[in-house]
Amino acid sequence: MQRRERTRHLIELGGLVQKAGLVELTDDDRATLYGAMLDLAARAQGDGNALALWKRRGKRAFDAEAEGQDNAEGNAHD
C-alpha cells in the first residue's frame, strides 16, 4: 500500500513539472530539469522568503485553474 501511495505521489509531482511548462521549456532534457531543481533548492535554502513567494504563486495558479474549470463546466451546461 505504501509503495502505491509513493508512486502516486511521484506521478503527481511529475505532473506539476509538466503543468508548469518545464518539460516543453527544456525540450524534455532531464539533466536541465534536474539542474534547475537543484538551483531552486539552493536558492530556497539561502532565501526564506522564496518559499513563501512560491507558495503564494502556486496557490494563485491552482485557484485560477480551478476557477477556469468551473467556468468551463458552467459553460458546457448552458
Side-chain angles (χ1 to χ4, degrees), residues 4-73:
R4 188 176 299 169
E5 289 175 14
R6 181 179 182 276
T7 299
R8 179 180 173 87
H9 181 74
L10 293 174
I11 289 169
E12 289 173 351
L13 291 174
L16 291 174
V17 173
Q18 176 73 37
K19 187 179 282 202
L22 295 173
V23 175
E24 294 80 19
L25 182 66
T26 62
D27 198 28
D28 200 11
D29 183 324
R30 300 197 182 173
T32 302
L33 286 167
Y34 187 39
M37 288 184 230
L38 290 172
D39 186 55
L40 286 172
R43 288 180 193 216
Q45 288 176 355
D47 180 3
N49 293 324
L51 290 175
L53 173 66
W54 297 342
K55 186 173 189 171
R56 284 193 307 271
R57 285 182 181 168
K59 283 185 175 185
R60 282 195 305 260
F62 278 136
D63 290 346
E65 181 180 303
E67 186 175 307
Q69 288 177 351
D70 288 345
N71 289 338
E73 290 172 4

